[in-house]
Structures are given as structure tokens and as C-alpha cells.
Amino acid sequence: YPLCALAVSDERPKNLPLTCLQWHPDGVIIATGGQDDRVRIWDVKSRTKEIAATFEGHKGGISAIEFSENGYYLATSDNNGVVKLWDLRKLKNFEELTVGSKAVKGLKFDQSGHYLACGGGQGIVKIYETKKWTEVKTFSNHSKNVMGLEWSSQADFLASVSKDRTLKIYGQ
């Protein structure tokens, strides 16, 4: 396998750094987020270097990206504590969640797709039920920004790491 089969870049006027990325579960597309507040969907399979879709609406730069387990939805977050949910079948934003007022660096759907965990500034972790996008649990055990989240394989535990140099594990 070549190390770089396809290199893509966005040379549009607001040419600011890309800050996060994630592969779609089917491996055909990849999403990137940047400091220009845009989320871009790249069609990797076609190898055309073209952007398949661009989502706008965030402010303060994109801080994290997460595809749902079935690939129908994309969660994106920004440096102002806002999480947006996008329907990839309709290519539109359908929900907005406020996690706090600082960057949301951790976004993670559980493997069943029933829950979305969001971790952000002020050491907050929020869990949302994905059928109605209602908040079901909030943890504020960290003293500094949450930087990453990971569900256990059965989604019975959620782990978070923070700039406070701690690992927290939440369970039922």
C-alpha cells in the first residue's frame, strides 16, 4: 500500500488549518473540521479530490467529529460548547446541543447508536439519548477540560480523560 494514495486540500479563501477528522464507518468518505468553522465531507473512493459536501453553522472552529455507528448521522462540535447533529442522507443540520461555553473535544456514539457522549470545557461530560436528543446524564467530576471519551464494548461504562491529568470511569 502506498503511504499517500490521495492528498486533498481546500484552497478556498478562508484557508485555515484543519483540526479534526474521522472516517465514515463504510470507509468511503472522510469528514474533516477546521478553524474556519466548516465541516467537509470528502469522497475518498472517487479519488477526485472533490468535496462531496460542506456543512456550515459553527462558530469558533471545529473541535471534534464523530460518525454514528450506522453512518447516518455526524456529530460535530466547536470551541464554544455547541454540538451539531447532521443527517448525512439529507445533508442538513437537524439538532443543536449546548454542552457548555468552552470547546467540546470529546464526542462518542456508543456502539448501539442509542447514546452520544459529549465532553467539554469546565470538566463536563453529558450523555444524550439519540432518539429524542434529550440529556440523560451529566457528570462534572473533572476540574479541567475533557479531552477524550470512550465507551466500553457493551456501553455499560464510559471513560473520560481530562487536562486535569485524570481518567474517570462512569458506570451504571
Side-chain angles (χ1 to χ4, degrees):
Y1 296 102
L3 290 178
C4 186
L6 177 66
V8 295
S9 66
D10 186 7
E11 302 297 334
R12 290 181 169 60
K14 284 181 94 175
N15 192 18
L16 295 170
L18 297 177
T19 54
C20 52
L21 66 109
Q22 184 166 33
W23 284 100
H24 187 272
D26 69 9
V28 175
I29 61 175
I30 192 167
T32 61
Q35 286 183 351
D36 64 355
D37 305 332
R38 295 178 183 159
V39 175
R40 293 171 184 82
I41 308 296
W42 304 84
D43 180 357
V44 180
K45 185 177 181 182
S46 72
R47 298 182 185 260
T48 62
K49 300 184 183 183
E50 295 294 320
I51 298 170
T54 300
F55 300 137
E56 298 183 5
H58 279 290
K59 293 186 167 90
I62 308 302
S63 55
I65 292 178
E66 174 78 0
F67 284 104
S68 64
E69 89 298 344
N70 61 12
Y72 293 164
Y73 304 114
L74 178 67
T76 60
S77 62
D78 64 31
N79 291 313
N80 294 318
V82 174
V83 174
K84 290 184 179 282
L85 286 302
W86 307 89
D87 186 325
L88 295 176
R89 297 164 295 179
K90 297 177 182 175
L91 297 177
K92 70 176 200 168
N93 174 240
F94 68 91
E95 188 68 54
E96 185 173 304
L97 311 169
T98 301
V99 177
S101 61
K102 294 188 178 178
V104 175
K105 296 281 189 176
L107 283 179
K108 192 58 83 170
F109 283 98
D110 75 314
Q111 288 85 340
S112 71
H114 292 137
Y115 299 101
L116 173 67
C118 307
Q122 300 108 351
I124 296 171
V125 174
K126 291 188 178 186
I127 300 174
Y128 295 89
E129 182 272 324
T130 61
K131 295 291 182 211
K132 296 182 181 177
W133 299 103
T134 54
E135 185 180 325
V136 295
K137 192 72 176 171
T138 298
F139 301 102
S140 54
N141 300 67
H142 288 290
S143 62
K144 294 188 178 176
N145 294 3
V146 174
M147 300 303 291
L149 298 168
E150 192 67 42
W151 288 98
S152 65
S153 61
Q154 300 299 314
D156 49 352
F157 294 99
L158 175 68
S160 63
V161 292
S162 166
K163 283 187 173 181
D164 66 10
R165 300 174 33 207
T166 63
L167 161 69
K168 306 285 184 181
I169 300 176
Y170 313 98
Q172 298 178 7

